[in-house]
């Protein structure tokens, strides 16, 4: 099962200790309740940002709380520091403590996002696709019912598109920097460019990926686009054309950015970082510099909503 094939909370998933899920009726063991859950996120992390965007779009600010780890990890992984604030829920110094509280003796990867349950004092899930789907569908008692991010009739298509974007765009954009041979570099970067072109064409006549309403596919795509010109492209040397060189995609990205759920969860400064360990040797790469784009420029895409 890939991250994007999950449609609803399943017993199989909830039995896995870090892949629990929330249900409106509580049948999964985690009932949707106001004030019960907390998200631990990192500003740099696209997966973490996706959960924050869903929370914002659904209007769950007063229902599910949220805080950020520091931008820099230490030898124990994600850490809370003054810069991004202390842990307001548990007073942890390290996110590893949340994992340890859930699985004593935990030695696995300590990643964000983390959805924490105040009631049972443990992590419900550290899986973005599960957390996003639960926030999008299980909090209807509080969330904006007009915002249908994961409509049942589109779920199969959404899963397919998100898997495509994950493999060919976000995954690919990350991988390019790590390629070691010329062939590998060219194959991966051309796959990324082809996907950008496909999405650019798809968005020529549609305001969002599935038409006039935002879905979790848009939430998936956007954090990748937001990081492209400052992080993935200059680091991996993927495309001579930056995001701003794909006109429909760039206008679409600005359209989303100009909505609070996207803008308020974005700190471009968190993307202006190197990834430790990226190799400088290896393939001969094209030249790409970071692009400082004007995200506030009018997008002109309202006209597409009516279609
Ligand atoms: N598959 C995870 C991906 C989350 C992830 O990779 N998070 C990264 C940051 S973007 C992380 O926290 N990595 C832990 C580390 O590198 O120490 C999800 O779906 O949520």
């Amino acid at each position: 099962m890939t991250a994007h094939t999950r449609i609803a909370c399943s017993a199989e998933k909830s039995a896995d200790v870090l892949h629990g899920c929330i249900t409106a009726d509580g049948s999964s063991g985690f009932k949707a309740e106001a004030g019960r859950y907390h998200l631990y996120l990192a500003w740099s992390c696209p997966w973490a940002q996706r959960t924050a965007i869903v929370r914002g779009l659904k209007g769950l600010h007063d229902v599910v709380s949220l805080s950020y780890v520091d931008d820099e990890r230490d030898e124990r992984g994600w850490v809370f520091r003054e810069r991004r604030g202390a842990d307001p829920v548990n007073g942890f110094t390290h996110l590893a403590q949340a994992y340890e509280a859930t699985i004593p003796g935990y030695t696995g990867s300590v990643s964000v996002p983390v959805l924490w349950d105040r009631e049972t004092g443990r992590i419900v899930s550290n899986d973005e696709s599960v957390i996003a789907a639960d926030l999008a569908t299980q909090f209807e008692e509080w969330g904006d019912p007009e915002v249908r991010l994961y409509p049942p009739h589109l779920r199969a298509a959404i899963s397919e598109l998100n898997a495509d974007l994950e493999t060919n765009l976000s995954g690919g954009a990350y991988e390019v920097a790590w390629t070691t041979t010329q062939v590998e570099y060219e194959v991966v970067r051309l796959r990324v460019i082809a996907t950008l072109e496909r999405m650019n064409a798809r968005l020529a006549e549609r305001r969002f990926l599935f038409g006039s309403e935002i879905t979790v596919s848009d939430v998936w795509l956007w954090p990748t686009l937001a990081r492209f010109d400052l992080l993935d492209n200059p680091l991996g040397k993927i495309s001579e054309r930056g995001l701003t060189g794909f006109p429909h995609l760039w206008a679409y990205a600005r359209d989303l950015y100009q909505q609070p759920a996207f803008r308020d969860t974005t700190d471009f400064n968190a993307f202006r970082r190197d990834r430790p360990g990226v190799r400088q040797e290896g393939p001969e790469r094209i030249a790409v510099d970071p692009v400082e784009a004007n995200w506030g420029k009018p997008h002109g895409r309202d006209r597409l909503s009516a279609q």
Side-chain angles (χ1 to χ4, degrees):
M1 188 185 251
T2 70
H4 289 296
T5 54
R6 176 190 177 274
I7 302 298
C9 194
S10 68
E12 181 204 341
K13 275 280 184 185
S14 53
D16 182 339
V17 79
L18 287 170
H19 294 85
C21 57
I22 296 175
T23 43
D25 63 5
S27 58
S28 64
F30 298 101
K31 189 176 188 329
E33 288 173 49
R36 177 167 169 179
Y37 301 99
H38 182 80
L39 283 167
Y40 287 116
L41 309 178
W43 284 102
S44 60
C45 179
W47 286 274
Q49 183 175 12
R50 292 176 183 119
T51 65
I53 293 171
V54 171
R55 169 183 176 267
L57 288 168
K58 287 297 288 182
L60 296 172
H61 302 89
D62 297 332
V63 178
V64 177
S65 56
L66 161 165
S67 65
Y68 289 88
V69 295
D70 192 62
D71 299 10
E72 308 289 333
R73 290 164 251 191
D74 72 8
E75 65 290 344
R76 288 173 64 197
W78 293 114
V79 58
F80 297 91
R81 291 196 188 93
E82 204 178 321
R83 171 167 48 174
R84 300 297 192 180
D87 169 10
V89 178
N90 295 298
F92 293 148
T93 57
H94 290 78
L95 191 61
Q97 292 169 270
Y99 282 78
E100 176 65 30
T102 309
I103 308 177
Y106 182 78
T107 53
S109 154
V110 173
S111 61
V112 286
V114 157
L115 181 66
W116 177 263
D117 178 16
R118 287 181 172 84
E119 191 171 303
T120 56
R122 52 156 290 178
I123 294 171
V124 179
S125 176
N126 68 347
D127 183 335
E128 174 274 334
S129 66
V130 177
I131 300 170
D134 290 350
L135 296 178
T137 60
Q138 302 301 313
F139 286 81
E140 295 304 90
E141 193 177 332
W142 305 273
D144 182 348
E146 299 295 304
V147 177
R148 287 174 289 266
L149 299 173
Y150 205 21
H153 71 286
L154 289 177
R155 284 181 187 182
I158 285 173
S159 295
E160 199 178 321
L161 180 59
N162 283 15
D164 172 11
L165 293 172
E166 182 168 10
T167 306
N168 296 312
L169 187 52
S170 36
Y174 177 83
E175 280 163 37
V176 178
W178 303 90
T179 53
T180 52
T181 68
Q182 197 68 36
V183 170
E184 204 190 351
Y185 164 66
E186 296 294 349
V187 166
V188 182
R189 85 178 181 92
L190 294 177
R191 186 155 53 85
V192 172
I193 295 169
T195 315
L196 289 170
E197 263 159 10
R198 264 196 293 134
M199 294 307 127
N200 189 57
R202 181 175 179 130
L203 290 161
E205 300 298 333
R206 302 188 227 198
R207 187 162 179 190
F208 305 113
L209 288 168
F210 281 100
S212 57
E213 293 198 28
I214 295 177
T215 66
V216 290
S217 289
D218 301 292
V219 175
W220 179 270
L221 176 55
W222 196 82
T224 301
L225 299 181
R227 286 156 179 76
F228 193 73
D229 282 345
L230 289 174
L231 183 65
D232 291 298
N233 201 21
L235 216 55
K237 316 288 186 202
I238 302 166
S239 165
E240 270 143 359
R241 260 189 305 161
L243 173 63
T244 56
F246 296 83
H248 304 302
L249 202 51
W250 169 223
Y252 157 86
R254 296 200 307 280
D255 184 2
L256 292 176
Y257 179 71
Q258 290 167 30
Q259 307 204 19
F262 292 81
R263 188 181 56 237
D264 297 348
T265 59
T266 302
D267 178 355
F268 287 110
N269 287 319
F271 313 152
R272 290 174 225 272
R273 293 188 308 135
D274 278 348
R275 286 205 180 100
V278 167
R279 291 160 185 255
Q280 298 305 320
E281 73 272 26
E284 194 177 317
R285 295 170 188 262
I286 59 167
V288 179
D289 290 323
V291 177
E292 296 289 340
N294 178 5
W295 286 83
K297 203 166 84 174
H299 56 77
R301 289 179 63 82
D302 311 77
R303 67 188 164 80
L304 297 171
S305 294
Q307 293 172 8

